[in-house]
Amino acid sequence: MAAGRQPVISLQNVGVAYKVKAGFLRRRRVWALQDVSFDVYEGETLGVVGRNGAGKSTLLQVLTGIILPDRGLITSRKDCRISLLSLQAGFVQPLTGRENAILSGLFFGIRPGTMKDMMDKIADFSGLGAYMDQPVNTYSTGMRARLGFAVAFHADPDIILIDEVLGVGDQEFKEKSEAAMRQKISSNKTVVIVSHNANTILELCDRVVWIENGASKMVGLPAEVVGKYQEQIYSKRMKNTAGQVRQVK
Amino acid sequence: MILQYEIIKYRALAELRAEVRRGYLGMLWWILEPLLYMSVFYVLFAVGLRRGGPDFVPFLLTGLVAWKWFATSVNRGSGVLLANANLIRQVDLPKYLFPAVSLVVNTFKFIIVFVMLIGFLLWYGIPVTSSWLMVFILISAQLLFSAAVSFWVAALVPIVPDLKLVIENCLLLLFFVSGVFFDMSKVEPRVQTFLLLNPMAWLIDAYRGVLLRGTVPDIGYLAGVITFSCVLLYSGYRFLCWYGHEYPKIIR
């Protein structure tokens, strides 16, 4: 599906190191990502699977440009708004839903004026109704997530990165957000989804990257990669076989 | 660039609004808190220790108002990246925005207190002279200096968290040597030259000169403070840009 197109983001042997305290006045480097290589193509939905601690969240931060790789290379197309679909990033608790929507919009690069014009749609989509004028600290967790999702969805970045988001809110909103996501995904939007839920990945993605111990272990079609991934999970032997990076296009 | 200006404006407004909505007394705190702060020192020095002599109260308050603005800015600046850790890990924003927002909030509150101070001086019977106009230049110079220091502490504290304690104690020391409650001109000249290396000591003395004594501050020193602050501010800004993508990794 992605063949022949230009990559919008390209990672080559990307590694990210964290500095960890190692005694008095000493720091040690810990590599959260060792060696990750793959391309993200325009209009595709790319899944990222991997166990907890494999480096998925760090990878999303690298893709968004929040952190830069310590080794390797990442190139992304210019003038491309890449956003992590982070729910409720930077909500100011005593402010109302409406006020927070405008603040959040700013982080997606949306001007307050534009945000105000979209407010009715956001209120409608989130289903919060009169709660939009209530302080966010009176919201339930699900309601906050609804607001966050509604803002992110309407901010409409060029590339959306999603961290396990499709489990937002109650059944009704979950269906709504999933439908909305699906619409985005089918509307030629570039999406990267990180999940350890194999079903989500199988259902939504065009291609899948499997991250294991900070390295891209396998890139390919969903059925193939997820199959291998699950095989390894179910086989109790968690032997470290990282390093055999396979590029499948 | 315009968007960054909007972020500063809306975040600062949001913080002020949040403060108003948090407490029962809301906006009243912007007046009450500085009043409480200053009455503590008033009680301590004017009533308790019986220091000062005539006109000590306007002398003390002028120093305290200027000092509090600086100290709060630096203190807030030192914790500002940590306070926004969640945001920093989820959105790629220029890091200088965070100390800038906190500075705008503090400056807004300072302006309220400063207007109160001017009201007090008028009520006290201090004569209004043309030198009062210089106060705007002094405020601008202090704004630059506070911004410069808070950019640097905001940048360095996440990297070396131990600095936070050092900064707190440095502020305490500076409070005592900035001449908040003694007259710089009565200090022995050798010590005075040394103490005036601290821009806050000079600024506090200059505020008093302009407002209480009707004298014009030393333009050479003023230019020095402004130049020094500009260099420090710009280098702090560059540092925050240069190191910006490391903060999401070290803040948690």
Side-chain angles (χ1 to χ4, degrees):
Chain A
M1 203 165 173
R5 277 189 259 182
Q6 278 291 316
V8 275
I9 310 176
S10 171
L11 285 87
Q12 290 159 37
N13 309 100
V14 163
V16 172
Y18 287 89
K19 289 192 186 78
V20 182
K21 203 168 169 251
F24 185 68
L25 287 178
R26 282 188 22 236
R27 299 278 171 105
R28 193 163 48 90
R29 288 187 134 196
V30 172
W31 292 87
L33 290 183
Q34 305 264 6
D35 181 10
V36 175
S37 304
F38 64 87
D39 293 329
V40 183
Y41 292 94
E42 190 170 3
E44 77 169 340
T45 302
L46 182 75
V48 177
V49 289
R51 281 179 292 153
N52 283 334
K56 302 191 297 290
S57 301
T58 306
L59 179 61
L60 281 184
Q61 287 184 316
V62 172
L63 287 171
T64 326
I66 295 171
I67 57 183
L68 299 176
D70 292 291
R71 63 183 184 210
L73 201 64
I74 175 167
T75 43
S76 56
R77 194 183 287 176
K78 286 260 174 244
D79 301 327
C80 207
R81 282 196 302 134
I82 309 171
S83 282
L84 191 59
L85 205 164
S86 42
L87 304 174
Q88 51 187 311
F91 277 1
V92 180
Q93 297 296 333
L95 298 194
T96 66
R98 233 171 260 277
E99 289 165 331
N100 270 302
I102 291 174
L103 281 175
S104 289
L106 281 168
F107 301 138
F108 288 99
I110 310 285
R111 278 162 204 289
T114 321
M115 213 60 204
K116 279 173 195 153
D117 294 340
M118 289 196 291
M119 201 55 79
D120 286 341
K121 276 196 248 167
I122 291 169
D124 191 47
F125 184 88
S126 65
L128 286 170
Y131 270 101
M132 281 299 278
D133 294 308
Q134 293 296 314
V136 170
N137 54 15
T138 62
Y139 286 21
S140 68
T141 316
M143 286 161 77
R144 267 175 232 174
R146 278 172 173 235
L147 180 63
F149 188 86
V151 172
F153 183 77
H154 285 87
D156 198 31
D158 300 319
I159 302 177
I160 313 175
L161 311 175
I162 304 168
D163 197 350
E164 297 275 11
V165 105
L166 301 178
V168 160
D170 52 24
Q171 192 60 36
E172 181 213 343
F173 191 71
K174 197 173 162 182
E175 278 162 21
K176 198 169 174 178
S177 59
E178 276 185 21
M181 263 347 288
R182 241 161 273 218
Q183 185 208 324
K184 278 258 184 269
I185 287 165
S186 58
S187 70
N188 219 24
K189 178 78 39 183
T190 313
V191 181
V192 178
I193 300 177
V194 161
S195 178
H196 41 235
N197 183 348
N199 289 331
T200 315
I201 298 279
L202 278 175
E203 209 179 326
L204 295 172
C205 299
D206 303 322
R207 287 191 315 138
V208 175
V209 180
W210 173 11
I211 305 287
E212 178 88 5
N213 292 327
S216 45
K217 185 167 173 160
M218 196 173 171
V219 185
L221 294 171
E224 201 180 331
V225 179
V226 171
K228 281 268 200 281
Y229 170 63
Q230 283 179 320
E231 223 171 78
Q232 202 204 354
I233 285 185
Y234 292 128
S235 71
K236 291 287 176 193
R237 283 171 40 208
M238 298 289 192
K239 270 182 69 181
N240 181 1
T241 47
Q244 50 174 107
V245 183
R246 257 176 72 195
Q247 287 278 357
V248 185
K249 285 230 174 127
Chain B
M1 210 52 215
I2 297 164
L3 197 74
Q4 291 181 11
Y5 161 75
E6 300 263 27
I7 290 179
I8 295 178
K9 182 176 130 198
Y10 274 81
R11 286 294 291 185
L13 269 174
E15 266 184 44
L16 288 169
R17 263 192 210 137
E19 263 182 42
V20 169
R21 288 182 203 168
R22 238 170 230 143
Y24 282 108
L25 294 177
M27 246 181 254
L28 261 184
W29 275 117
W30 294 344
I31 297 170
L32 281 180
E33 199 261 340
L35 274 183
L36 282 173
Y37 176 83
M38 285 186 269
S39 24
V40 168
F41 290 98
Y42 173 74
V43 169
L44 181 63
F45 290 107
V47 182
L49 298 175
R50 295 193 180 267
R51 290 273 309 255
D55 294 343
F56 185 66
V57 177
F59 174 88
L60 177 70
L61 293 187
T62 308
L64 275 177
V65 166
W67 172 259
K68 189 169 192 285
W69 180 28
F70 174 75
T72 321
S73 301
V74 175
N75 245 332
R76 287 288 187 84
S78 72
V80 77
L81 289 190
L82 283 172
N84 288 288
N86 246 331
L87 201 51
I88 286 172
R89 267 183 274 129
Q90 295 180 52
V91 190
D92 181 26
L93 289 171
K95 305 301 176 286
Y96 82 89
L97 290 177
F98 297 100
V101 167
S102 132
L103 193 71
V104 169
V105 169
N106 275 319
T107 305
F108 175 79
K109 290 197 233 166
F110 161 77
I111 289 169
I112 296 175
V113 180
F114 189 76
V115 169
M116 284 163 61
L117 174 74
I118 294 295
F120 171 80
L121 295 182
L122 292 175
W123 171 82
Y124 194 85
I126 305 278
V128 181
T129 60
S130 56
S131 71
W132 277 38
L133 285 173
M134 281 296 287
V135 98
F136 293 106
I137 297 168
L138 293 180
I139 288 177
S140 313
Q142 193 185 337
L143 179 64
L144 275 177
F145 181 63
S146 306
V149 178
S150 52
F151 272 34
W152 271 109
V153 296
L156 295 178
V157 167
I159 302 171
V160 189
D162 320 52
L163 271 181
K164 197 162 171 46
L165 291 171
V166 177
I167 288 165
E168 274 168 26
N169 286 292
C170 279
L171 277 176
L172 190 62
L173 176 72
L174 278 182
F175 172 68
F176 287 117
V177 298
S178 290
V180 176
F181 46 85
F182 62 84
D183 193 343
M184 205 45 91
S185 60
K186 285 179 187 150
V187 178
E188 193 194 328
R190 279 213 338 260
V191 182
Q192 191 190 1
T193 321
F194 178 68
L195 289 183
L196 283 178
L197 287 176
N198 160 21
M200 272 317 290
W202 183 82
L203 276 165
I204 286 173
D205 192 51
Y207 278 114
R208 284 171 181 154
V210 160
L211 290 173
L212 308 178
R213 302 192 291 264
T215 56
V216 174
D218 179 353
I219 300 300
Y221 200 104
L222 179 66
V225 169
I226 290 175
T227 314
F228 174 67
S229 303
C230 285
V231 171
L232 205 62
L233 180 62
Y234 184 70
S235 57
Y237 166 77
R238 295 300 306 176
F239 185 90
L240 280 167
C241 292
W242 170 69
Y243 206 71
H245 291 99
E246 289 294 311
Y247 291 112
K249 294 202 289 187
I250 54 178
I251 291 172
R252 50 188 86 199

